[in-house]
C-alpha cells in the first residue's frame, strides 16, 4: 500500500553477536525457528545460508542453532566498527517464524539506526515522497555506509528494490545513498517485533522480523 495508509509502530530488539557465541530464547522459553530458509529471493539463493552462520568455519548449509529473543522497543542502534563500511551485498530470505534482511560490508560495520517509521517516507537527497508497499514500516539509516567507494568504485551493483512477498516482509527498497549515508525502508504486512544481529567474517547487519 502507499504511504497514505496508517501503520502501527514497529519495534526492535538488539543483540550484538561476535565470533561463534549466539544466545537467547523467545519470551516463551523456546528457540525461534532455525531451519533453513523455506523460500529465498532468487538473487540470494547462493548466499542466504551464509548470512545466518555464527562462524565462517561452520558449514554453509547449517543455520544458526540459537538466536536471541524478539523484543519490542522503539529503535535499535548499532555502533560502528569502521569509519567507512562499503556495502557489498543486500539480500532477503524467510525462515520458520521470521523474515530476514541482510546487509553485508567489505570490512566493519557502520553506525546504524533501525526504527519504526510513519509515512510519508522520503528519498535522500531529493526529498521526494516514496511509495513503499506495506501497512507498517521500518527505516534503516547507516552513517558511514555506501555502495560506492570514496574513489568512485561501485562495491554493490545488485538490486535496490526487493518485493519478496513474505509473511511479513513485503518490500525492501533503498531510500538513498548520499554522502556516505545509506537509507533503506522495509515495508511490512502488519508489522511485528524485530531482532537485530551483527555478524563477522564477513561483516553483516541482520534484521529479523517476527511473523
Amino acid at each position: 500500500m502507499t504511504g497514505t495508509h496508517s501503520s502501527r509502530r514497529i519495534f526492535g530488539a538488539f543483540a550484538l553477536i561476535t565470533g561463534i557465541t549466539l544466545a537467547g530464547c523467545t519470551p516463551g522459553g523456546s528457540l525461534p525457528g532455525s531451519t533453513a530458509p523455506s523460500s529465498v529471493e532468487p538473487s540470494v539463493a547462493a548466499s542466504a545460508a551464509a548470512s545466518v552462520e555464527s562462524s565462517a568455519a561452520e558449514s554453509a548449509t547449517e543455520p544458526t542453532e540459537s538466536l536471541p529473543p524478539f523484543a519490542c522497543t522503539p529503535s535499535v542502534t548499532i555502533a560502528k566498527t569502521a569509519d567507512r563500511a562499503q556495502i557489498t551485498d543486500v539480500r532477503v530470505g524467510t525462515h520458520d517464524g521470521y523474515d530476514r534482511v541482510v546487509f553485508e560490508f567489505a570490512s566493519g560495520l557502520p553506525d546504524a539506526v533501525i526504527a519504526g517509521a510513519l509515512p510519508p517516507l522520503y528519498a535522500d537527497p531529493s526529498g521526494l515522497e516514496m511509495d513503499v508497499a506495506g501497512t507498517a514500516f521500518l527505516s534503516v539509516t547507516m552513517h558511514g555506509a555506501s555502495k560506492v567507494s570514496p574513489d568512485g568504485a561501485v562495491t554493490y551493483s545488485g538490486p535496490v528494490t526487493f518485493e519478496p512477498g513474505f509473511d511479513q516482509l513485503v518490500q525492501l527498497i533503498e531510500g538513498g545513498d548520499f554522502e556516505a549515508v545509506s537509507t533503506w525502508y522495509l515495508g511490512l504486512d502488519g508489522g511485528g517485533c524485530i531482532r537485530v544481529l551483527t555478524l563477522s567474517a564477513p561483516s553483516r547487519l541482520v534484521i529479523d522480523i517476527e511473523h
Side-chain angles (χ1 to χ4, degrees):
M1 296 190 179
T2 65
T4 59
H5 290 268
S6 62
S7 62
R8 70 180 177 85
R9 207 165 182 185
I10 308 303
F11 301 98
F14 168 70
L16 179 61
I17 309 301
T18 57
I20 61 172
T21 302
L22 291 175
C25 59
T26 62
S30 61
L31 290 175
S34 58
T35 59
S38 57
S39 65
V40 181
E41 272 291 310
S43 64
V44 303
S47 57
S51 75
V52 298
E53 292 175 349
S54 59
S55 169
E58 293 181 354
S59 168
T61 61
E62 289 296 322
T64 307
E65 293 183 357
S66 178
L67 290 169
F70 291 93
C72 295
T73 55
S75 65
V76 178
T77 300
I78 301 295
K80 69 179 181 181
T81 61
D83 289 333
R84 179 83 177 202
Q86 288 302 138
I87 299 171
T88 57
D89 197 12
V90 180
R91 50 191 184 266
V92 300
T94 189
H95 293 248
D96 183 16
Y98 61 95
D99 298 334
R100 171 163 286 189
V101 174
V102 179
F103 297 96
E104 186 170 312
F105 305 93
S107 180
L109 297 166
D111 284 325
V113 177
I114 302 94
L118 293 172
L121 306 174
Y122 297 104
D124 181 27
S126 69
L128 296 176
E129 186 173 338
M130 295 183 62
D131 184 11
V132 182
T135 59
F137 307 91
L138 282 173
S139 65
V140 182
T141 305
M142 298 179 283
H143 293 270
S146 178
K147 61 183 187 291
V148 181
S149 69
D151 61 6
V154 176
T155 57
Y156 173 68
S157 58
V160 293
T161 300
F162 300 81
E163 297 179 348
F166 295 154
D167 285 352
Q168 270 291 345
L169 184 64
V170 178
Q171 186 176 36
L172 172 67
I173 186 169
E174 184 184 57
D177 190 326
F178 181 66
E179 294 185 345
V181 177
S182 178
T183 305
W184 293 74
Y185 294 114
L186 283 66
L188 307 178
D189 183 8
C193 295
I194 69 169
R195 170 177 57 217
V196 178
L197 313 174
T198 63
L199 303 174
S200 59
S203 300
R204 283 155 289 166
L205 172 62
V206 179
I207 304 166
D208 292 339
I209 308 99
E210 188 177 26
H211 290 169

